[in-house]
Amino acid sequence: MSKVSISFRLTAWFTAVFLCGFVILGIAMWVGWSYTLSSGRDRTLTRRAARALEVLTNFSGQSAAVLNARYDELVDANPEGNLIQIFDSGGRVLYPKNPKAPKDFPWPRHVGAPFDTYRNFMYRGREYRELQHPASLGPEHLLIVVSGQLEDNRQMLARFTTGLIGTIPLLLAGTALAGYFMSRRALEPVGKLTAAVRSLSIGNLAERLPIGQTGDELQRLAETCNDMLARLETAVTQIKRFTADASHELRSPLSYIFMVSECALRQPDLPEQCREWFQDILAESQDATHLLEDMLLLARADAGHVDIPFERTDLLPLVEDALERARLPAEAKRHRLVLQCAHGPFEVRGDRTSLRRLIWTLVDNAIKYTPEGGRVEILLEGNETQVHLSVRDTGIGIPVHLLPRVFERFFRADPARSQTGTGLGLAIAKWIADVHQAELTVESEPGAGSVFTVAFPAQSSGFLKVGMV
Ligand code: ADP
């Protein structure tokens, strides 16, 4: 799966497409500009050659002095005038009579092709362009040669190139930013849908996703999700109702089995073998009754049919009760039971019976899943805002990858080691914590032990007390 977000990928594509566009446009502009400059240069050379021929034609009947003077005027009229020379058919310089161009300037030596030709050449480290324009003056064949520097053109082209190279990254950065904001904006509803879907759980399947009336794919997606939620809600409700009904219906036959076993065990003449069988039946029906009661409680909780009377409740006496109850099983396994309290009082708003059950589940598990000679410690700690109850043991621990599942119904990390358990204890504990707006969390290390912590919203805070049982 790609770890890069859609908006990032869209921006990258958008920017790449624009980069290609900018590069193609830049090259086209460069080629166009370069062509415009060189054709402009050629037109200037042609104009100068025509002007020189015009002077010769207009004043050919005049004396050589007049012609020379006119020619000098022409030369002086343009900045590169000294780069015009007129040769006769033998390659001798006709005009100007006193050439002002440097002696080593590379003029052509003879009349070449009978049409205009251009060439580029280097002279003293600079590039020049030259036009050879064959012409006739009466019977005489002439070659008008006009040269001009290309330096200006080169500089203009270089400035244009620099400007282009500097502008493209700026345009690209602007495009990337615009692309990023556009894609973020377009995907904003997806983010809202994701958050809404993420907040859904089995407990709030009745909620529906917000549907924007945009008429687009996102509206259809939200509507499809809502249809699916409606179907899920119906299915889950049916399953919950079935569990509640089945648990309820099974209670009577189980009580009947329990009652019959008790009556049978009261018979004095019951054979020993039958007594053992009835004792097993009694124990099993007792376990099954507990399981059914737990299932019924959870089914009622799911349906919201459990009334919990909330009152100001001190957790300390409930913890002391649990420790008292744990004393015998702990002694049987030679466990050390420790109670530590700090910064009480430990008052919370809650239901005494449910809280007693929550505490007992954690303490009972700690004893059950701690081998002989271990230590089980209960910590109570209060502050301004919270009361923390932790049950820490030095037991078998829970593998890290199973930790997120310990509060699931019927989950047992190691079924072989929890044959006595039903896998509902922690699910009920979690539900009790939830209805008290408390957070139940677990940390564990296999082989080293586990800590279950419940963080309740506090009612008050106060003194320090440390005790041991
Ligand atoms: P069970 O009735 O099986 O104890 P719970 O819901 O109370 O069911 O616990 C679920 C599972 O979590 C247990 O089967 C056990 O694997 C694991 N577990 C709970 N508490 C502890 C603990 N203190 N140490 C190790 N494993 C534990």
Side-chain angles (χ1 to χ4, degrees), residues 35 89 130-131 137 171 181 453:
Y35 176 76
S89 51
E130 175 194 87
L131 163 65
L137 191 64
L171 284 173
F181 283 114
T453 304

Side-chain angles (χ1 to χ4, degrees), residues 14-30 160 164-176:
F14 196 60
T15 312
V17 169
F18 267 82
L19 175 65
C20 293
F22 287 144
V23 168
I24 292 170
L25 190 73
I27 291 174
M29 282 169 74
W30 191 91
F160 178 76
L164 208 62
I165 291 174
T167 316
I168 286 183
L170 286 179
L171 284 173
L172 218 55
T175 309

Side-chain angles (χ1 to χ4, degrees), residues 190-202 204 207 209 229:
V190 178
K192 284 186 186 155
L193 271 185
T194 311
V197 171
R198 198 170 278 156
S199 71
L200 288 171
S201 69
I202 196 118
N204 60 355
E207 283 178 20
L209 304 179
L229 279 176

